[in-house]
Amino acid sequence: MSPDFPSAHPDDPHYISRSGWLRAAVLGANDGIVSISSLIVGVAAASSDQTSILIAGLAGLVAGAMSMASGEYVSVSSQADIEKADIKREAAALKENHKEEFDELAAIYELRGLKRETAEQVAHELTEDDPLRAHIRDELGLSEHQSANPLQAAFASAFTFSMAAALPLLAAFFAPSDAIIMTVLITTIAALIMLGALGAKLGGAPIVPAAIRVLIWGTIAMAITACVGWAFGVTLD
């Protein structure tokens, strides 16, 4: 909520303004945990050389963080380009067909439950000072809280990927050479649960369903990795 307006429940704020960076952060962290754990498990299943395992994990961490950053930046930039193009078209339409655009906005309010007269009055008052802003918000469905921010998404994703990927890498580093796979798997499960809980906490969502969801999908990814190893005659012993 904007600081210009008082909140009816200041002790229970909305978290929609966090949706942009929180989505990228959770995505990066989840990918970091699962991909690096899977990489370490795969390499450890084929080789017991701890140095090789750690080098592979570190290389995966660096490459993954750069990939997440560039991927988020490119994808969110594409979203931002679409938003800017739509805003530009809407601005041009307001100049060329002001009456038609006004009627369209009033119709939107009418569809939301207002009487026609009330909808026209609301449209008139909201467009009196800044008509483009009203159309961007109510016709295009865009707001400053949800607008695409490529740099923010890229940094959040790369940072959380690196921090999360470091967990299975550290587990492999400190684990006995004959227990790397099991140590990494246990660390991964714990990390996935914590990630789901933390993401839900930061977003003001229920913690248990989020933790279970992240754990299940992360475990599925790890199980597929184990199945690939078994398919080539490698066990987790």
Side-chain angles (χ1 to χ4, degrees):
M1 176 173 289
S2 170
D4 296 332
F5 298 95
S7 173
H9 42 85
D11 295 331
D12 185 24
H14 296 294
Y15 296 98
I16 191 63
S17 61
R18 298 178 178 179
S19 61
W21 64 263
L22 184 57
R23 179 202 62 80
V26 172
L27 174 63
N30 185 78
D31 197 15
I33 294 171
V34 174
S35 62
I36 301 306
S37 295
S38 298
L39 176 62
I40 290 175
V41 167
V43 174
S47 172
S48 59
D49 182 23
Q50 192 170 28
T51 301
S52 299
I53 296 171
L54 293 175
I55 291 175
L58 182 60
L61 187 155
V62 175
M66 294 302 99
S67 176
M68 291 297 295
S70 61
E72 281 290 338
Y73 185 83
V74 170
S75 63
V76 177
S77 292
S78 298
Q79 178 186 341
D81 290 342
I82 294 173
E83 292 176 0
K84 291 176 182 177
D86 273 349
I87 292 172
K88 185 177 180 179
R89 281 192 292 269
E90 192 63 28
L94 280 171
K95 291 181 180 179
E96 298 172 2
N97 305 294
H98 181 77
K99 179 62 168 62
E100 289 80 356
E101 288 294 322
F102 177 86
D103 290 340
E104 184 180 16
L105 191 62
I108 291 173
Y109 298 142
E110 190 176 6
L111 287 173
R112 292 178 181 174
L114 297 180
K115 294 181 180 179
R116 181 64 188 181
E117 297 78 8
T118 306
E120 289 182 351
Q121 181 64 26
V122 170
H124 174 73
E125 293 186 10
L126 289 179
T127 58
E128 190 172 12
D129 294 329
D130 192 346
L132 181 59
R133 182 179 182 182
H135 281 270
I136 290 173
R137 181 184 62 246
D138 295 321
E139 184 180 342
L140 302 182
L142 300 176
S143 71
E144 60 271 17
H145 293 312
Q146 296 173 303
S147 59
N149 188 325
L151 285 176
Q152 183 187 67
F155 176 79
S157 186
F159 178 77
T160 55
F161 180 97
S162 300
M163 294 299 99
L167 296 177
L169 190 59
L170 288 173
F173 178 79
F174 289 107
S177 58
D178 59 345
I180 291 178
I181 292 178
M182 191 55 61
T183 302
V184 169
L185 289 176
I186 293 173
T187 302
T188 299
I189 291 173
L192 288 171
I193 294 174
M194 289 188 293
L195 172 62
L198 180 59
K201 179 68 175 178
L202 291 174
I207 292 177
V208 174
I212 293 175
R213 180 173 61 246
V214 173
L215 174 61
I216 289 175
W217 284 103
T219 302
I220 289 174
M222 294 297 297
I224 292 174
T225 301
C227 288
V228 171
W230 290 330
F232 285 93
V234 179
T235 67
L236 296 181
D237 297 332

